[in-house]
Amino acid sequence: MTITHTYDAVIVGAGGAGLRAAIEASGRVDTAVISKLYPTRSHTGAAQGGVCAALGNVEEDYPEWHAFDTVKGGDYLVDQPAAQILTEEAVDAIYELERMGLPFNRTPEGLIDQRRFGGHTANHGERAVKRACYAADRTGHMILQTLYQQCVKRDVRFFNEFYCLDLLLADDGRTAGVVAYELATGELHVFRAKSVLFATGGYGRMFRVSSNAHALTGDGLSVTFRRGIPLEDMEFFQFHPTGLYRLGVLLSEGARGEGAVIRNRDGERFMERYAPTIKDLAPRDVVSRSIYQEIKEGRGLGPRGDYVLLDLTHLDPRVLEEKLPDITEFARVYLQVEPTTEPVPIQPTAHYAMGGIPTDVHARVVTGSEETPVPGLYAAGECACVSVHGANRLGTNSLLDIVVFGRRGGDDMARHCEETDLPALPVEATTQTLDLLDGILTRQTGDNVADIRAELQDSMFDLAFVVRSEESLAKMGELVGSLRERYDRIAITDKGTVYNTDLMEAVEVGFLLDCAATLVAAAAARDESRGAHYREDHPLRDDANWLKHSLAYRNDDGSIRLDSKPVQMGPYVPMERKY
Amino acid sequence: MAASLTPAEILNSSDERRVGATPLVTLTLRIRRFNPQVSEEPWWDEFTIQVDPYERLVEALHQVKWHHDGTLTFRRSCAHGICGSDAMVINGRNALACKILVKDVAPKVTIEPIRGLAVLKDLIVDMEPFFDGYRAVLPYLVNDEETERERVQTPQERERYDDTTKCILCAACTTSCPIFWSDETYIGPAAIVNAHRFIFDSRDRAPRERLGILSEKTGVFRCRTTFNCTDACPRGIEVTKAIQEVKRAVLFDRP
């Protein structure tokens, strides 16, 4: 049985971007939020270190300096007008979060305190600058809680533990709604709407070592991709340098912002060699590659020589207690290490997707090199690619992205709803979803979903991680193809309709395979190194051929077609990226 | 001080203490099961697996689900104690399955759903009554005064409510409370924690309204100070202390 709902605006995902959009839209048009998790379980809550804005509360700072750092940090693949909007609107976005009640740490004068973060500098790279506003090392938690509180205040309508499985487009190309699966009952729901915003987060669960929640399986990207929307810059995936060894649990860059350093087996603070000016506060791609190089040259630690150390032992224990309490506890609980006296074993961990569903600065989804909007369709947050992060996101800019472009998306979707009528549903609106679910449910024997996921995660970690090559990507491409063939033969145990997480996990692995296939195809094509995408067979950036965004489309036979579109330039001319 | 770290000291640090470094151990998971599509009555299942002693218990549950019984159902997401999805009764005590290491419960662990909320399937309970309590305390800042920049709040004022901002709404505290087990109208520790977070925030302008709600018979005076909630909190919040502070604020009608 299918239940049909009608709203003006439907938001898929209840992390920071979805909630901020809901706050904006719900006061103006009839709005619903669909989320596969309870909103406060969303992965925005795991963000730690801070959210940057040039408030200048502690040191001289300007949005223009922030914009420059964002563009340079993104290795010039950033759309510069979008970065200017991000950094200029950052200041008011932070004041707004404070007015909503966010408990930022304070300066002695009672203003929002700020600290250093990777790649954020004064006066175009002169020195590290204190720009990151923070609430201890739970800034994301406080943003998620604060935005959810505001949704409670506004009585926003939530459909919790509903999985969005399909996007509905009307015959005239307008957005008509989504199909969602209710976990509690197994029922399908059709949400008719004039506008839909995807805010479903990333897909870091395709890698073995990841800071991402189990829920981060690229749902929104895959759902739109299967309906003909391209994915932009999928080859750019950020590997955060300081994940807990083997577990991948994030240790905030805020630790280095407070003075922590990374050391190799000789005890050497090796970032002094790779980034002489800002050292351990170089952007994440630079630090992760440096760690890889140290390990490759035999200066890693442990039986396998495959990790280095984050050293916080020289910091005042009060700094750990007051400004970094959560990561201190992670080291204690998960690695049994006492960070006040022992260095913490770390390795790069899959962290953040720079690429995603292509949007303009109003969060409108756009296709093709001409950036044609899909009427009524929006995306914001990690699942979107504006692009403000280019080839490598700076720390803190993701939390900024969700509040700035979440607000813009909510605002523009409300405007769109006020100006348009409700599109007709396409015929057989649930057919594709039913085929997907029945295919999995009816097979009695077949391949194990968890085995496929584990092989995907292991091989992506080995072949498409910090360092890639033509050979490794070709091998990975073949593997994704064979995993997909096996995926088409999967069988699951749970055939019930009540809280069938077995079924939803199977669907999620299908989403991950789509994301992996596009990532590998785009990475194989881009025979240069830029930001987080490092090809050891093409170690240099190639602006003549590759100063452009990639677009990956799904062909009808499931294969991938690659295209590109130009980067929107601005005041910053690409130059060699040194720190 | 950092310069005094010798390579030998670093190499000698803690290699045996982490995942992947030691042999697997045998773990038997005794799990309370319920599936309304299978039986009206709950039952117990046991699964014995080989698992890394430094792995998280939630990953042991995954191993069971992924390789032994796909119908085993539980909530989880971040797997490192931040999202609040996987509160369970583990060997009789409320905890997050992602913050318990296998070595601390092997060779045998008993896992049940958290108490006081209706079990819907296996370890999944109905969270709606819990969130109803949360929503009842006006869990948002009330202050419509116009400001151009941020409001000023001193570090001391900020510190006053720091502890209760850590809450992740996992329900470990509320479902460890004997008063809540026996009376589902009691608003519960987590809701009081979230009220505390605003009552003691110098920027808030509605402490009296919240104190009024908490002084009702479903409110803060139901607490009998058993400290279960403080023991259960995976974020280390001093829950009972927060409740006592709210009781005092109700009595004096001010924060």
Side-chain angles (χ1 to χ4, degrees):
Chain A
M1 198 183 83
T2 302
I3 300 152
T4 303
H5 312 257
T6 303
Y7 288 91
D8 292 321
V10 167
I11 292 162
V12 183
L19 295 178
R20 185 62 193 82
I23 289 167
E24 202 66 25
S26 64
R28 292 163 56 187
V29 296
D30 197 14
T31 303
V33 182
I34 298 169
S35 174
K36 71 176 180 177
L37 302 173
Y38 271 84
T40 58
R41 315 293 183 222
S42 304
H43 206 55
T44 295
Q48 298 170 352
V51 51
C52 270
L55 306 184
N57 281 2
V58 183
E59 290 179 348
E60 182 185 13
D61 199 7
Y62 304 98
E64 193 274 317
W65 292 358
H66 186 184
F68 170 81
D69 290 337
T70 299
V71 172
K72 181 183 173 188
D75 220 347
Y76 298 94
L77 198 70
V78 172
D79 286 331
Q80 295 189 18
Q84 286 174 312
I85 287 171
L86 178 81
T87 53
E88 282 165 15
E89 294 188 4
V91 176
D92 279 337
I94 297 302
Y95 292 149
E96 182 188 67
L97 286 172
E98 195 283 327
R99 284 195 289 268
M100 288 178 176
L102 200 140
F104 285 111
N105 279 45
R106 300 288 175 153
T107 65
E109 298 77 32
L111 302 178
I112 294 169
D113 197 14
Q114 298 185 275
R115 65 181 168 200
R116 297 188 182 98
F117 236 82
H120 289 280
T121 71
N123 199 18
H124 311 101
E126 271 185 14
R127 62 186 179 279
V129 72
K130 292 181 176 175
R131 183 179 290 150
C133 313
Y134 65 100
D137 54 354
R138 55 176 183 279
T139 313
H141 164 76
M142 294 319 327
I143 288 179
L144 183 67
Q145 294 286 328
T146 302
L147 294 175
Y148 182 63
Q149 290 155 6
Q150 292 298 311
C151 287
V152 170
K153 183 180 179 184
R154 289 165 172 77
D155 204 16
V156 171
R157 180 76 168 99
F158 286 97
F159 291 86
N160 297 327
E161 299 187 323
F162 278 58
Y163 288 68
C164 174
L165 301 184
D166 199 7
L167 164 68
L168 299 174
L169 297 172
D171 295 339
D172 61 5
R174 288 190 295 160
T175 303
V178 296
V179 179
Y181 175 91
E182 183 179 5
L183 186 65
T185 63
E187 284 173 323
L188 287 188
H189 296 250
V190 171
F191 288 85
R192 298 187 63 185
K194 297 175 183 174
S195 64
V196 171
L197 180 135
F198 281 89
T200 54
Y203 50 89
R205 274 285 153 179
M206 72 167 65
F207 298 97
R208 181 175 75 227
V209 176
S210 173
S211 69
N212 283 202
H214 286 283
L216 290 173
T217 51
D219 304 15
L221 290 87
S222 178
V223 162
T224 50
F225 179 67
R226 290 175 186 181
R227 286 293 179 186
I229 310 295
L231 295 176
E232 179 178 350
D233 290 344
M234 290 296 282
E235 63 271 44
F236 297 103
F237 198 95
Q238 178 163 85
F239 306 104
H240 192 294
T242 59
L244 282 185
Y245 179 54
R246 288 181 65 104
L247 297 169
V249 172
L250 184 66
L251 295 184
S252 172
E253 198 167 272
R256 282 171 284 142
E258 297 289 354
V261 298
I262 305 175
R263 298 183 187 279
N264 60 23
R265 69 175 292 155
D266 302 322
E268 183 202 8
R269 182 186 181 184
F270 57 85
M271 283 312 299
E272 289 177 332
R273 278 189 275 120
Y274 295 95
T277 305
I278 56 176
K279 305 182 179 73
D280 298 86
L281 285 171
R284 291 170 179 175
D285 60 326
V286 175
V287 180
S288 284
R289 263 196 304 283
S290 305
I291 292 173
Y292 179 88
Q293 193 64 26
E294 290 297 297
I295 288 171
K296 189 179 166 192
E297 292 175 11
R299 290 188 291 276
L301 294 93
R304 298 180 191 82
D306 60 350
Y307 64 81
V308 293
L309 297 165
L310 182 67
D311 184 3
L312 304 107
T313 57
H314 54 290
L315 301 185
D316 185 336
R318 274 185 315 191
V319 171
L320 271 66
E321 191 185 318
E322 290 167 16
K323 295 185 174 180
L324 303 165
D326 283 359
I327 64 162
T328 302
E329 185 178 82
F330 295 154
R332 286 175 185 151
V333 170
Y334 297 119
L335 292 190
Q336 317 275 297
V337 164
E338 175 46 56
T340 56
T341 56
E342 293 174 287
V344 185
I346 51 142
Q347 70 180 145
T349 181
H351 187 56
Y352 186 88
M354 272 72 74
I357 305 164
T359 73
D360 65 12
V361 295
H362 304 288
R364 293 185 290 211
V365 174
V366 291
T367 66
S369 52
E370 303 299 313
E371 304 220 310
T372 311
V374 182
L377 190 59
Y378 295 79
E382 188 175 349
C383 74
C385 182
V386 183
S387 153
V388 287
H389 308 307
N392 171 65
R393 175 176 69 77
L394 288 190
T396 78
N397 274 357
S398 59
L399 289 176
L400 189 56
D401 178 4
I402 61 179
V403 289
V404 168
F405 291 101
R407 186 193 65 75
R408 285 178 152 258
D411 176 61
D412 203 74
M413 72 194 299
R415 178 199 58 76
H416 176 82
C417 290
E418 287 158 358
E419 293 171 1
T420 192
D421 58 351
L422 188 71
L425 281 181
V427 288
E428 300 186 337
T430 57
T431 303
Q432 184 164 318
T433 308
L434 285 168
D435 288 348
L436 171 73
L437 299 179
D438 289 347
I440 299 170
L441 283 167
T442 50
R443 220 170 288 116
Q444 294 304 318
T445 57
D447 270 81
N448 178 301
V449 176
D451 289 342
I452 293 171
R453 179 176 46 215
E455 283 178 45
L456 175 71
Q457 292 170 336
D458 285 346
S459 50
M460 287 296 290
F461 181 78
D462 292 337
L463 301 170
F465 208 59
V466 175
V467 174
R468 304 160 172 176
S469 68
E470 181 179 355
E471 192 188 345
S472 77
L473 292 165
K475 199 171 163 192
M476 191 63 230
E478 284 175 30
L479 266 166
V480 174
S482 67
L483 289 171
R484 186 182 294 282
E485 284 174 24
R486 284 170 57 192
Y487 181 76
D488 290 338
R489 300 190 300 265
I490 56 169
I492 60 171
T493 319
D494 196 338
K495 311 287 188 187
T497 55
V498 176
Y499 287 95
N500 191 340
T501 54
D502 206 20
L503 176 62
M504 286 302 105
E505 282 193 38
V507 171
E508 289 173 332
V509 171
F511 293 156
L512 280 179
L513 286 168
D514 281 348
C515 293
T518 54
L519 186 156
V520 171
R526 188 177 284 272
D527 51 6
E528 65 154 357
S529 291
R530 182 184 299 271
H533 171 68
Y534 184 76
R535 287 275 303 259
E536 60 185 351
D537 47 347
H538 297 277
L540 299 178
R541 196 174 78 199
D542 176 4
D543 287 336
N545 292 303
W546 284 110
L547 186 57
K548 59 187 181 186
H549 299 292
S550 73
L551 293 173
Y553 290 86
R554 184 180 186 277
N555 291 322
D556 289 339
D557 65 356
S559 62
I560 290 164
R561 175 173 64 87
L562 292 176
D563 196 1
S564 67
K565 66 178 181 182
V567 176
Q568 295 178 32
M569 301 305 287
Y572 307 116
V573 180
M575 55 181 185
E576 194 189 354
R577 194 159 158 259
K578 281 184 168 169
Y579 286 96
Chain B
M1 201 158 77
S4 68
L5 263 180
T6 68
E9 280 171 345
I10 296 168
L11 283 168
N12 286 333
S13 74
S14 66
D15 272 338
E16 73 289 357
R17 277 175 285 170
R18 62 189 66 105
V19 72
T22 47
L24 303 185
V25 296
T26 302
L27 178 70
T28 298
L29 300 102
R30 182 166 179 266
I31 304 171
R32 189 162 174 88
R33 306 290 305 270
F34 174 67
N35 183 342
Q37 295 186 303
V38 172
S39 164
E40 288 177 12
E41 294 300 318
W43 71 96
W44 290 93
D45 268 344
E46 278 194 11
F47 302 92
T48 299
I49 59 171
Q50 300 295 309
V51 59
D52 190 306
Y54 289 89
E55 192 48 276
R56 295 156 281 189
L57 186 58
V58 72
E59 298 305 330
L61 284 167
H62 272 144
Q63 200 173 317
V64 172
K65 180 176 180 65
W66 293 343
H67 300 290
H68 299 272
D69 183 354
T71 68
L72 177 66
T73 305
F74 51 96
R75 292 190 176 105
R76 88 289 184 261
S77 189
C78 80
H80 66 283
I82 293 299
C83 78
S85 297
D86 62 347
M88 303 170 187
V89 182
I90 297 165
N91 285 341
R93 298 168 70 96
N94 280 13
L96 301 181
C98 61
K99 287 194 82 175
I100 301 280
L101 299 187
V102 165
K103 72 178 181 64
D104 295 323
V105 294
K108 185 162 182 176
V109 62
T110 300
I111 302 174
E112 302 161 78
I114 47 178
R115 302 182 182 115
L117 296 166
V119 178
L120 302 174
K121 184 180 178 185
D122 292 345
L123 302 169
I124 291 188
V125 300
D126 180 8
M127 294 295 288
E128 287 305 319
F130 173 80
F131 279 103
D132 286 345
Y134 166 79
R135 284 188 286 262
V137 298
L138 314 180
Y140 41 82
L141 190 81
V142 177
N143 185 331
D144 296 328
E145 296 154 22
E146 296 285 319
T147 57
E148 206 169 297
R149 294 175 50 109
E150 72 266 56
R151 294 186 193 86
V152 172
Q153 182 171 57
T154 68
Q156 294 73 29
E157 289 169 332
R158 165 68 180 75
E159 177 62 24
R160 182 68 190 84
Y161 65 101
D162 181 71
D163 199 34
T164 45
T165 67
K166 296 172 187 164
C167 176
I168 55 174
L169 298 168
C170 68
C173 60
T174 296
T175 62
S176 74
C177 173
I179 311 295
F180 181 76
W181 298 337
S182 61
D183 179 1
E184 64 184 23
T185 66
Y186 172 42
I187 203 162
I192 301 170
V193 161
N194 281 277
H196 180 285
R197 177 253 171 275
F198 292 103
I199 290 167
F200 293 95
D201 185 335
S202 60
R203 302 169 297 174
D204 190 69
R205 298 291 175 262
R208 289 245 163 82
E209 289 172 52
R210 277 192 208 90
L211 293 173
I213 293 163
L214 289 159
S215 69
E216 290 170 12
K217 68 179 187 339
T218 56
V220 73
F221 291 104
R222 304 303 303 262
C223 168
R224 289 290 175 270
T225 330
T226 54
F227 282 91
N228 283 15
C229 50
T230 301
D231 291 343
C233 180
R235 301 284 290 144
I237 299 170
E238 295 182 274
V239 181
T240 315
K241 182 180 171 206
I243 294 173
Q244 294 304 101
E245 289 175 352
V246 172
K247 283 180 187 172
R248 202 174 307 128
V250 171
L251 288 172
F252 293 101
D253 195 27
R254 59 184 164 79

